[in-house]
Amino acid sequence: MAKAKNNSALDSVQILKTYKMYIGGNFPRTESGRYYSPQVNGKSIANICRASPKDMRNAVVAARSAQPPWASRTAYNRSQILYRIAEMLQGRSEQFVAELQIQGLKTQDARIQVQATIDRMIYYSGWCDKFQQLFSSVNPVASSHFNFSVLEPTGVVVLLASQTSPLLGLANAIAPIIASGNTCVAIANEDQPLSAITFCEVLQTSDLPPGVVNVLTGKLDELMTHAAKHLDVNAIAADQIGTPNLEAVRADAAGNLKRIADLQIDWSDDNQAQNPYLIEKFCEVKTTWHPIEQISSSGSGY
Amino acid sequence: MSKMKTSLWKLDPAPESSDHISLESSYGLFIDGEFVESEGGDKFATINPATEAPIAAITEATDTDVDKAVKAARLAYQKVWSKTSPTDRGKYIFRIARLIQEKARELAVIETLDGGKPIRESRDIDIPLAAAHFFYYAGWADKLPYAFPNRTPKPLGVAGQIIPWNFPLLMAAWKIAPAIACGNTVVLKPAETTSLTALKLCEIIQQAGLPPGVVNVVTGHQKVGAAIVDHPDVNKIAFTGSTAVGKGIQTAIAATDKSCTLELGGKAANIVFDDAPIDQAVEGIINGIYFNQGHVCCAGSRLFVQESVFEEVMRKLKHRIDTLNVGDPMDKNTDVGAINSKKQLQQINQYIEIGKSEGADFYQLQCDLPERGFWCPPCLFTGVAQSNRIAQEEIFGPVLAVQTFRTVAEVIKKANNTPYGLSAGVWTDKGSKLFNMTAQMRAGVVWANTYNKFDPTSPFGGYKESGFGREGGVHGLAAYVKI
Amino acid sequence: MPHPQSFTCSSPPVDQVGVIERAKRFQTRSVKTQSKMQGLRMILSMIDLTTLEGMDTPGKVKQLCFKAQHLHDSTAGLPTVAAICVYPNFVALAKRALGDSKIKVASVATAFPSGNTSLEIKLDDVRMAVDQGADEIDMVISRGKFHAGEFGYVYDEIAEVKNACGPSRLKVILETGELGTFDNVRKASDIAIAAGGDFIKTSTGKIKPAATMPVTLVMLEAIRDHYFKTGEMVGMKPAGGISNAKLALQYLIMVQETLGDSWLDNHWFRFGASSLANDVLMQIVKQNTGAYQSADYFSID
């Protein structure tokens, strides 16, 4: 048996990480075989999958089939899974710091971002079994009916993720979307996709069922059109994608009356980023009626 | 057992009197607190669909008129309404509610004359609910922060509101009450076939002393609605109507910052299990599809009956259909009135032909119909498949498509197999099944062991292509504030 | 004949709120002019003019029998009521007093109103009334047994009473005011119909609430279901609490819309009432003269 050489890490040849996409709990390459090479300071940071419309379709299929079972998990269970994501992030925080640095962040800023990502995940973990109580109502109708309104997840939500905040913005936007039982297809930050894919590795090892979150990398302007026109997508969260893009998405989304959320949020600001109304944005209000029998102790009404 | 029209005890006509109502022969537009004539707009006649007789002349507003209305609303928003205390806003709305109650019978009669719905419904449902809606939102005006924990809700500005012809005054109430309670001002367009009660509401608004410009009403056809949607100084669009027009609106405002709520079409499943209270379910089916001639976006137009009770349900349903009185909407005994317009009648008849040509079995109430006016007796198709057009498309008339099912899983799948998601009905005596079913329905309103119930405290609105946003209840406030 | 125990599961559930809503809708019907006159006359012809008091005397019963034949002689062409309803010991007297008028004599029996005695005594009670000439027997069901879940007992008892009736028609009083829920009313109706009752009847008049439109509707629906299944008609008699013409007209609307025209006949539908007749008469005279009437002009017997 050959003994491993006792070389220091600096002397050995680095194994470069291959960044793939995250669809249905797996890490496939794009079916198109295409790639692009985002650059930081004039230097390519990696070869990244350039997702095709077909990848988008596959991701939506994965998200759609994962949605009803995810929504039927107990709120407590979804809460625990979001908490587990935070735990896994914590354990791998150094890796995220390093990747954010590759993507051009200073060490201190990278650490702040990673810590904030962990904190926000915990924040939304806590909301999973509480937001319903905040936004639901029992409605005192003027007839003999029990009438209540609850929130239900909208369905499949496409996130056009932050182009400025590659890890925190992504995770912070995903958390309120999935907290209520939606599933999500995220288009990662085009120029800084590395931490998005590594975040998926965290998701994959966090008990999050396959398909609940799917992440595509590639060209925003190419993918957003297909997302906005896709008839099996229920909502789009657009995270500061620029006015022309937003207008195009809105127009395309009319095909099946998608809900469009224009996220005007500074993810570094706790007051904006920690917000249960972000959960509500991706929910539908369902109102249920049922008769109430009218028999009192005096028998009146009978 | 069926009650033929040669019944041995047939009710004599019992017409509601209409001598107490006051209507002008011609109406202008309501802008800045006054009825004004259009600048260059034509007039068109609004007719009684039960007789085809003209009732009054209505103005076709021009783009200039719409601009005037929006300017009046903007000015009222800036100078008056945004500075009116929330408590006073509420008091004005309370006044409107009271005045509607005082004039309830007059409004009911006009609603029935202009729209064709039975006086029983306008008297017992439309008008009382309209008043109740104003009462409900009046009280919210000075309590808005409680509706949005940890936020400070602010009005949006000028709201452009476009409403349909099926519940004219009620829809005006659904739109105006929450909008002005939240501090917005309004430009509202009623449907061209049913403008009268909205114009009567303007008289009430004048009488209530609401500051000029807070509510403006412009009348006319779709072009007028488009002018509101396209107006650059409108902050919010609230629309109730067809899904096709709703999509058009979403596209039209894509390049603007206008916020938008849409309450669109539906093709609701009404599901009857074998353990349901069958006689009440049959009544629920009747209310679900024949209420307001089926001109109801949440109508239970797709009936799913569990196979083991199919024969029983159909026999009872047909028996009940045979007891419905179709005819003069002003008759207090009329159950099903006139179809709202010739155009709508043509659409309904077209779908009936499609249903027949698709091979479904047709059953229709046989009865005498008035010579003039637009009529479609209640009818249903059995032997319908999910792939039939009459099971997929919104007919907006008294036409029921009946299908059968065997298992819970099957009916959930079929019920949700539609681009719409406004409402659903479930009939079963078993609680645990019921809660599963109501949760599984992808629809904004689910009636369990009842159907077509409405209340101002109860949020209403759709999933999927039935639109977005809610009207009614605390959730209805969100459509008219930014937080 | 179905096994009685099967009733525990075969009666359909009833949604109370839905029934009340449906009943209210009958009350929005407006009955005018000719149809009103026709309806009012129909009501008169369907009345079981009733006296069921501890203090009943031959004199009282005779007066009632006279009233039954002469509702309001100053108005020509009025029908007579359908029947006189009395306790068994007045049957013979009533029979004589009614002579060859077509008015039937109905007798309550089976330890009316509580029904709390042995089957033998109940059957004797019935036989006595029948022997005296009662055309119709109004029995009460054993509500205690019903609440104890002994549906078989209730069924058998009705079947035995029916047997003892011979040719007389049997009305089965459910005493709905003691049944507690519409589900029970429905179940009791189904038992009574299956056991051979010719009529089902809401109440004794001794318990409140007596007849209400929703309760009657539930019973009419049981009758309709039986008709749909077997083609056999069963009669209906709401009793107690129907004291004015307007309400009675609404009952007729309910019968017509639920069961159809065939039931608009005193062979199949009755009102058990003591004061309804005079209100109906006042309405008829008002329709004829155009003047609102006073009770002083209508005899009280």
Side-chain angles (χ1 to χ4, degrees):
Chain A
M1 205 204 276
K3 204 177 166 191
K5 283 193 216 163
N6 197 17
N7 282 350
S8 80
L10 286 172
D11 296 337
S12 67
V13 176
Q14 288 281 300
I15 301 298
L16 293 178
K17 180 170 173 181
T18 306
Y19 289 90
K20 295 188 283 189
M21 304 193 295
Y22 186 53
I23 300 174
N26 298 313
F27 288 94
R29 286 201 171 83
T30 168
E31 60 80 35
S32 68
R34 304 180 303 176
Y35 72 96
Y36 71 108
S37 305
Q39 302 194 339
V40 173
N41 301 326
K43 211 180 133 204
S44 168
I45 52 173
N47 293 324
I48 296 295
C49 289
R50 185 176 155 196
S52 67
K54 226 178 227 179
D55 294 318
M56 164 65 68
R57 185 200 65 186
N58 292 342
V60 171
V61 168
R64 175 58 64 196
S65 67
Q67 198 270 323
W70 176 238
S72 68
R73 297 270 182 129
T74 63
Y76 177 52
N77 183 245
R78 283 200 302 275
S79 172
Q80 292 212 317
I81 289 174
L82 260 64
Y83 186 80
R84 181 72 179 157
I85 294 171
E87 285 182 342
M88 300 304 284
L89 275 167
Q90 183 83 62
R92 294 174 68 162
S93 52
E94 283 311 313
Q95 186 186 358
F96 282 105
V97 171
E99 255 170 6
L100 288 172
Q101 285 175 289
I102 295 172
Q103 292 178 158
L105 234 57
K106 293 201 176 83
T107 311
Q108 186 55 21
D109 292 344
R111 286 197 191 287
I112 290 170
Q113 280 237 4
V114 173
Q115 189 55 49
T117 306
I118 296 164
D119 291 347
R120 299 289 160 68
M121 209 50 76
I122 290 169
Y123 177 80
Y124 285 103
S125 159
W127 271 120
C128 289
D129 52 6
K130 297 170 191 67
F131 76 91
Q132 189 69 267
Q133 289 170 306
L134 196 65
F135 296 118
S136 292
S137 61
V138 171
N139 312 309
V141 296
S143 59
S144 192
H145 293 90
F146 186 64
N147 178 296
F148 60 99
S149 299
V150 297
L151 297 195
E152 289 187 348
T154 294
V156 173
V157 181
V158 168
L159 168 65
L160 308 175
S162 168
Q163 296 301 305
T164 53
S165 181
L167 175 65
L168 174 60
L170 178 78
N172 204 154
I174 287 175
I177 290 171
I178 64 172
S180 65
N182 292 298
T183 54
C184 180
V185 175
I187 317 294
N189 185 315
E190 187 173 320
D191 298 326
Q192 304 170 38
L194 306 189
S195 44
I197 297 304
T198 306
F199 178 62
C200 294
E201 292 164 11
V202 167
L203 298 179
Q204 199 200 26
T205 50
S206 301
D207 303 329
L208 189 75
V212 172
V213 174
N214 307 272
V215 176
L216 303 178
T217 52
K219 301 291 183 189
L220 175 68
D221 55 1
E222 179 186 13
L223 294 171
M224 70 178 190
T225 310
H226 294 286
K229 286 186 172 166
H230 199 306
L231 291 182
D232 208 27
V233 171
N234 300 99
I236 292 194
D239 191 353
Q240 298 171 71
I241 57 174
T243 304
N245 282 346
L246 182 62
E247 290 173 0
V249 164
R250 278 195 191 130
D252 287 340
N256 68 335
L257 292 160
K258 284 178 192 69
R259 289 82 173 114
I260 307 291
D262 176 18
L263 304 178
Q264 299 281 355
I265 291 166
D266 175 358
W267 298 112
S268 66
D269 179 356
D270 282 351
N271 285 330
Q272 294 181 47
Q274 302 190 152
N275 177 1
Y277 292 93
L278 283 177
I279 303 175
E280 191 198 29
K281 252 186 211 304
F282 301 102
C283 286
E284 304 287 334
V285 178
K286 174 183 278 182
T287 300
T288 305
W289 293 70
H290 196 278
I292 302 173
E293 201 167 64
Q294 308 162 38
I295 302 175
S296 65
S297 58
S298 62
S300 61
Y302 160 66
Chain B
M1 303 253 299
S2 73
K3 175 188 157 193
M4 299 313 293
K5 294 299 141 174
T6 53
S7 172
L8 68 89
W9 188 40
K10 191 170 183 306
L11 296 185
D12 288 314
E16 174 70 40
S17 77
S18 58
D19 54 8
H20 54 90
I21 67 166
S22 95
L23 279 175
E24 308 292 332
S25 59
S26 175
Y27 281 92
L29 308 168
F30 187 68
I31 296 174
D32 206 16
E34 300 290 338
F35 282 97
V36 296
E37 288 303 317
S38 161
E39 299 194 7
D42 295 333
K43 299 256 175 177
F44 61 95
T46 187
I47 65 162
N48 179 342
T51 61
E52 300 176 54
I55 306 172
I58 304 293
T59 299
E60 182 75 28
T62 62
D63 289 0
T64 315
D65 297 325
V66 170
D67 186 54
K68 265 176 66 184
V70 173
K71 282 204 170 87
R74 173 62 58 195
L75 204 65
Y77 176 70
Q78 287 170 339
K79 303 269 182 205
V80 185
W81 204 234
S82 59
K83 297 185 175 129
T84 306
S85 77
T87 308
D88 284 349
R89 285 206 312 264
K91 285 181 179 172
Y92 283 118
I93 304 169
F94 277 124
R95 280 188 190 170
I96 295 170
R98 263 289 186 260
L99 286 164
I100 291 174
Q101 287 180 321
E102 286 166 13
K103 299 183 175 208
R105 191 55 62 93
E106 181 186 23
L107 290 166
V109 167
I110 294 171
E111 200 76 302
T112 286
L113 287 175
D114 200 22
K117 67 172 61 205
I119 187 73
R120 184 185 71 82
E121 291 178 7
S122 51
R123 180 196 65 203
D124 296 349
I125 298 165
D126 289 62
I127 310 303
L129 269 181
H133 224 82
F134 277 104
F135 262 107
Y136 178 75
Y137 280 108
W140 266 123
D142 57 1
K143 302 169 190 68
L144 296 174
Y146 293 98
F148 302 96
N150 231 17
R151 289 289 183 277
T152 310
K154 297 270 192 312
L156 298 169
V158 176
Q161 306 181 321
I162 300 160
I163 57 170
W165 44 260
N166 55 347
F167 297 93
L169 184 71
L170 182 58
M171 289 299 107
W174 279 28
K175 292 280 182 287
I176 293 172
I180 63 177
C182 291
N184 304 278
T185 56
V186 163
V187 177
L188 175 116
K189 186 193 95 66
E192 65 271 15
T193 60
T194 54
S195 307
L196 287 178
T197 45
L199 292 163
K200 290 299 285 186
L201 180 62
C202 295
E203 294 175 10
I204 285 171
I205 282 168
Q206 267 181 331
Q207 220 178 325
L210 191 73
V214 173
V215 172
N216 306 273
V217 172
V218 288
T219 50
H221 292 73
Q222 193 166 339
K223 200 170 69 64
V224 182
I228 295 173
V229 170
D230 293 337
H231 197 289
D233 204 30
V234 168
N235 303 101
K236 193 237 155 61
I237 301 295
F239 171 76
T240 297
S242 76
T243 290
V245 174
K247 288 177 179 177
I249 289 173
Q250 198 181 9
T251 312
I253 63 171
T256 71
D257 286 333
K258 288 171 192 167
S259 61
C260 181
T261 43
L262 302 171
E263 203 273 86
L264 309 174
K267 192 75 187 177
N270 197 3
I271 302 167
V272 180
F273 285 97
D274 59 3
D275 57 359
I278 297 288
D279 290 307
Q280 289 76 59
V282 166
E283 198 57 24
I285 296 165
I286 294 282
N287 285 332
I289 184 63
Y290 303 129
F291 172 55
N292 200 31
Q293 296 74 247
H295 303 325
V296 187
C297 46
C298 52
S301 51
R302 288 186 297 149
L303 174 64
F304 290 93
V305 184
Q306 197 154 23
E307 278 191 15
S308 51
V309 289
F310 177 72
E311 298 298 329
E312 181 188 359
V313 169
M314 291 318 294
R315 180 164 188 187
K316 288 183 169 176
L317 184 57
K318 289 174 180 175
H319 178 248
R320 177 72 176 102
I321 285 174
D322 290 341
T323 65
L324 293 172
N325 298 320
V326 183
D328 181 8
M330 288 289 281
D331 192 311
K332 292 174 207 163
N333 293 321
T334 291
D335 299 305
V336 178
I339 300 301
N340 184 265
S341 67
K342 191 172 193 173
K343 190 175 141 208
Q344 189 58 29
L345 180 60
Q346 282 164 350
Q347 179 182 319
I348 294 165
N349 285 336
Q350 208 177 340
Y351 273 110
I352 290 175
E353 287 315 308
I354 290 169
K356 287 175 179 169
S357 70
E358 285 177 328
D361 296 319
F362 184 62
Y363 181 86
Q364 188 166 37
L365 168 64
Q366 298 300 310
C367 62
D368 297 329
L369 296 173
E371 275 181 25
R372 297 192 68 87
F374 315 125
W375 309 98
C376 178
C379 61
L380 59 82
F381 283 100
T382 49
V384 175
Q386 194 77 352
S387 53
N388 288 168
R389 280 182 66 189
I390 52 167
Q392 293 180 343
E393 296 171 24
E394 187 177 38
I395 299 173
F396 225 63
V399 185
L400 178 66
V402 188
Q403 301 182 64
T404 58
F405 69 95
R406 293 151 299 174
T407 65
V408 171
E410 178 188 2
V411 78
I412 290 170
K413 193 178 251 185
K414 283 183 171 171
N416 287 333
N417 177 215
T418 166
Y420 293 114
L422 187 53
S423 59
V426 180
W427 298 83
T428 169
D429 205 43
K430 186 171 180 179
S432 58
K433 176 157 66 182
L434 191 111
F435 278 114
N436 178 45
M437 287 300 300
T438 58
Q440 296 287 343
M441 291 298 103
R442 296 280 293 153
V445 183
V446 183
W447 286 290
N449 292 327
T450 185
Y451 206 96
N452 267 348
K453 290 280 179 293
F454 307 93
D455 193 276
T457 67
S458 174
F460 184 93
Y463 285 26
K464 302 198 282 185
E465 290 199 15
S466 290
F468 41 75
R470 292 293 176 269
E471 295 182 288
V474 61
H475 296 89
L477 295 168
Y480 291 101
V481 295
K482 46 179 177 268
I483 55 168
Chain C
M1 220 175 265
H3 189 274
Q5 291 304 340
S6 66
F7 297 117
T8 52
C9 55
S10 70
S11 288
V14 179
D15 182 72
Q16 188 221 25
V17 175
V19 170
I20 290 171
E21 261 174 36
R22 178 72 183 114
K24 277 203 181 119
R25 187 150 170 192
F26 297 119
Q27 298 192 280
T28 67
R29 291 288 194 223
S30 176
V31 187
K32 298 278 186 216
T33 54
Q34 275 313 303
S35 54
K36 182 170 181 181
M37 278 304 264
Q38 195 189 345
L40 292 171
R41 294 166 58 86
M42 220 170 352
I43 293 166
L44 286 182
S45 76
M46 291 168 167
I47 290 175
D48 280 7
L49 208 54
T50 302
T51 182
L52 294 170
E53 291 170 354
M55 60 179 180
D56 280 346
T57 58
K60 161 85 184 177
V61 172
K62 266 193 257 178
Q63 286 167 24
L64 203 65
C65 291
F66 189 82
K67 169 84 177 176
Q69 299 167 80
H70 305 273
L71 282 172
H72 194 65
D73 286 345
S74 60
T75 305
L78 290 179
T80 63
V81 297
I84 286 288
C85 185
V86 293
Y87 272 111
N89 50 330
F90 295 109
V91 168
L93 173 66
K95 203 67 194 162
R96 276 199 305 281
L98 290 168
D100 50 10
S101 75
K102 298 249 167 70
I103 300 169
K104 306 264 194 281
V105 174
S107 172
V108 296
T110 70
F112 180 93
S114 78
N116 279 330
T117 188
S118 69
L119 177 61
E120 289 69 31
I121 291 173
K122 289 183 186 184
L123 293 176
D124 282 346
D125 200 10
V126 171
R127 283 187 206 107
M128 176 208 160
V130 172
D131 288 347
Q132 304 272 318
D135 303 292
E136 299 168 358
I137 298 296
D138 290 21
M139 74 169 285
V140 290
I141 66 164
S142 294
R143 284 89 73 192
K145 296 285 187 187
F146 182 91
H147 281 296
E150 295 180 41
F151 306 120
Y153 182 95
V154 176
Y155 175 96
D156 291 342
E157 191 176 63
I158 297 168
E160 295 270 8
V161 169
K162 169 69 183 166
N163 205 29
C165 281
S168 302
R169 295 178 84 204
L170 174 63
K171 305 197 196 96
V172 183
I173 301 172
L174 309 182
E175 195 64 304
T176 54
E178 289 187 344
L179 294 183
T181 65
F182 286 153
D183 290 311
N184 281 345
V185 170
R186 174 64 200 232
K187 189 179 292 179
S189 301
D190 288 346
I191 293 172
I193 291 169
D198 298 298
F199 268 82
I200 50 176
K201 175 176 169 185
T202 57
S203 323
T204 60
K206 306 295 179 195
I207 295 285
K208 280 192 192 319
T212 63
M213 286 191 72
V215 153
T216 306
L217 177 58
V218 171
M219 294 169 70
L220 292 173
E221 284 168 349
I223 291 170
R224 178 174 62 181
D225 284 355
H226 181 72
Y227 178 78
F228 279 169
K229 272 184 204 129
T230 65
E232 293 165 12
M233 291 171 73
V234 172
M236 174 70 209
K237 177 178 172 184
I242 307 165
S243 56
N244 71 65
K246 188 176 177 191
L247 183 58
L249 283 169
Q250 289 162 347
Y251 270 81
L252 286 190
I253 297 269
M254 178 162 70
V255 171
Q256 187 183 40
E257 291 194 15
T258 310
L259 294 175
D261 284 350
S262 312
W263 268 262
L264 291 181
D265 184 299
N266 67 10
H267 194 69
W268 298 113
F269 189 77
R270 298 281 179 83
F271 290 102
S274 49
S275 58
L276 173 62
N278 272 4
D279 194 62
V280 175
L281 290 167
M282 281 166 67
Q283 295 296 321
I284 289 175
V285 176
K286 191 263 161 187
Q287 289 290 108
N288 286 340
T289 63
Y292 290 106
Q293 298 295 300
S294 155
D296 287 354
Y297 298 83
F298 295 83
S299 60
I300 298 169
D301 282 293

